[in-house]
Amino acid sequence: MNDGNFTHNAAEDSTVGIQAETVHNSNVYFVHPDASPQEKYKVGVRFLADGVPSRARDMISDAIAHGYDNAEVRFHWVLSMLSARAYHELSSEELQRLRHASGLVGAYAEGEWKDALRIAFELLAMLSTASGETDRVLERLRALSPHHRDAILHHLDHVLTGGLKDSLWVENRERVEAARFSNGRTQRVWAYFEPEPIGPRAMPPRPSTAAAAQAALPVRVGLFVVVTAVLWVLALVTDPTAAVVELLVALGAGLTAARFGRPWWYENHQTEVRERESPGQDASESAAAGDGFTRNVRHSFSHYFSVRAPHEFTPRAWLDHTAGIRESLAAEIALLYRESRVTVDRVNWLIRYLAEDARNRHHDGTLFDRRHQHEAPGAAKALCVGGLVLLGLTAVAVLRTVASGAGATQTLLAALAVVGAVWSGRAAAASWLAAGAEERRLTEETGEYHERLAERQLAYRNWKSFLDATRPSELEMETWLTCDKTLFVDEALRHYQLTWRDLITHTILMAPARPYKRGRVKGGPWRYSRYSFRLFLVTQDGIREISKEFDFTNAKRGNEQRSNYRFDALSSVQVTEHTRAGYDLELVLTNGPARSIRVKDADTHQLTPEENPQDIAEINLNAAGFIHAFRLLEGIAADGKGWIERIKPTNLPPFRVAD
């Protein structure tokens, strides 16, 4: 028979089924090494309220050891000592510390905290007392404020005897039924599992290439001036009047072509730049090579664009209508956020905003403005062509003027000057236009970058503020989880027609139910969007095991399984730790196959530098109810019904309140 020893397995089990996980960047569970005892106590109380009694014991005990001790502190210390533990699990040293603490009650100042502390000790002493003698203590318990009474009932759940719990169960059930959906649970739980959004980014302007064009411009302009000067000198020598007229016409034509050709050039320049240096080029190449992040980004864009389609479009039609815009945006986001530890879940807020922005711009009629904003008007293109044609005709006229009154040598020189003017003029114009286009592009893209970044920063702040305001606190999450567990136990008792007097003990083991999302506060336990509750009810006749899946986001219940077996049917209990997968609890029955229960998944890759892996593992195992469940099942597997006899209150050393 296996006695429950822990074994280690280095195999890497799969964690398929985890959809998302996040660690909230909060310091609620961290204290500075030089923190005062009061600060350590407050963190300990927070641990206790949030379902981590093992850490609460350490913090509150440390505060007491450093001199911070009063009725309030001792009350929470007692709760942390007894929370999620049965009386028989307390060591002799712990019982001695509790007895010593009970003797200090008389020295504390009178008040509600002292009354609550005294009642907690009296309830502990009731374990070996006849049920008829408990009425006085129960009346005093009911007279406490709801805050103190509920805390005692919650944390002494495994300590109170069946008779005590029977008398309190109805009102406890009514309380948790009222609290189960309190504070907008179904509207807020989703926010707890929402990943922390990554900050806003925008595509910065591409570096300017105007330097090369500006460097070549003086040489080309100088050459153009020289050759045109030679041409016009020859024309002036031959026919001054005609030359002046042709010079004026050429200047007018050239200025017209430059004035109206510049926007046309910029349009073509932008088209070439976009095709040559598309911001999503690298992302597209990665996607073609199987880039999972890029595929996920595109899938998110398709999803959010389809669910945010304008009323006049079907989702499919809207996707077709915005295919080009979505592809460009997806390439941009993939390029901006492609990092090894960034998942698309952290970028979805931005994708959702961009989808909403596209819908709003469609309603405003500005959806495709950026596509057409650099298109030159047709009239400008016509004037540019007209100017160039007139400039060409003027050059021919100048050549004819020179040829009409000069010799062959001057005519040949004029012809060469015309050719040189055309070549150098075209080169100079190209450099001038390219430099100007790059300066304009850089100015526009810089303005667009700051505008887009400002818009995305505003969207990020709005989303972050909404998320922070919506996300439940650890206390709320723990309260809702406790309510679910309590009602689950109540349902099982009703099904089997049992009362608390019929139970020797019970335990609940909580495990994640796949697929799930999970989240936690830094330093705290994992909480899951879907749980599998496994309840063990121990009676004189044997063990009743009930398991049920819960959707924590809406408290809906799923599949349920029940099984019953005798004490001697549980032959062994074993826990296996998988280095990169988590903890499995294996139950071996004599009349059936072994059952493996995944208690928790691995979390070392999600730890922050301030966290200790061993501490976090212990916190999560305690929060899952693993320690109590393992000790219970281990004892039954080792001793059978003899273990049940051994833990009966009448067979345990009584707790006596110190004088």
Side-chain angles (χ1 to χ4, degrees), residues 421-554:
V422 171
W423 178 83
S424 61
R426 182 179 180 280
S431 296
W432 175 68
L433 290 170
E438 274 298 283
E439 290 177 353
R440 177 182 171 186
R441 179 195 63 77
L442 184 61
T443 301
E444 287 184 354
E445 289 189 0
T446 301
E448 291 174 357
Y449 165 74
H450 289 297
E451 180 182 351
R452 285 196 302 268
L453 186 60
E455 292 171 349
R456 295 176 185 185
Q457 286 173 337
L458 177 60
Y460 172 79
R461 288 194 296 269
N462 290 340
W463 173 247
K464 190 72 166 59
S465 298
F466 174 73
L467 201 58
D468 292 342
T470 305
R471 182 184 296 120
S473 66
E474 290 296 295
L475 178 58
E476 289 174 317
M477 294 290 286
E478 181 64 23
T479 298
W480 294 328
L481 184 61
T482 300
C483 291
D484 287 343
K485 291 191 294 183
T486 301
L487 293 177
F488 176 47
V489 172
D490 182 70
E491 182 182 295
L493 293 175
R494 289 169 181 261
H495 174 80
Y496 288 111
Q497 297 182 347
L498 295 172
T499 67
W500 285 105
R501 296 175 186 273
D502 301 320
L503 295 184
I504 297 173
T505 188
H506 77 287
T507 188
I508 294 182
L509 182 63
M510 297 184 299
R514 303 186 179 199
Y516 62 79
K517 298 179 181 180
R518 68 178 182 176
R520 67 182 179 90
V521 168
K522 188 168 62 175
W526 284 112
R527 302 188 186 277
Y528 301 91
S529 62
R530 298 182 71 247
Y531 281 97
S532 175
F533 289 171
R534 195 175 296 266
L535 172 64
F536 297 91
L537 299 176
V538 181
T539 67
Q540 289 290 346
D541 300 326
I543 303 172
R544 291 175 171 84
E545 179 186 339
I546 311 98
S547 64
K548 179 171 288 192
E549 292 184 357
F550 279 77
D551 188 335
F552 187 72
T553 57
N554 53 26

Side-chain angles (χ1 to χ4, degrees), residues 191-202:
Y192 188 89
F193 304 106
E194 189 73 12
E196 289 291 329
I198 195 168
R201 302 175 188 174

Side-chain angles (χ1 to χ4, degrees), residues 40-55:
K40 294 179 180 179
Y41 163 70
K42 290 179 181 178
V43 174
V45 172
R46 187 176 293 117
F47 268 120
L48 181 64
D50 296 345
V52 193
S54 60
R55 293 291 292 155

Side-chain angles (χ1 to χ4, degrees), residues 269-286:
H269 174 76
Q270 286 295 88
T271 302
E272 292 175 1
V273 169
R274 282 195 299 268
E275 292 176 352
R276 184 176 66 253
E277 301 180 14
S278 170
Q281 185 176 8
D282 294 337
S284 300
E285 291 173 357
S286 297

Side-chain angles (χ1 to χ4, degrees), residues 224-236 402 410 413-414 416-417:
F224 175 72
V225 170
V226 170
V227 296
T228 53
V230 171
L231 179 61
W232 290 113
V233 167
L234 292 173
L236 285 170
V402 174
Q410 289 84 352
L413 185 59
L416 292 175

Side-chain angles (χ1 to χ4, degrees), residues 10 25 66 70 78 96 136 145 155 207 234 245 258 288 320 337 395 422 522 555 579 647 654:
N25 188 23
H66 286 83
N70 54 46
V78 170
Q96 183 61 35
R136 180 182 59 83
S145 67
H155 293 291
L234 292 173
V245 173
D320 293 339
Y337 290 97
V422 171
K522 188 168 62 175
T579 305
I647 69 163

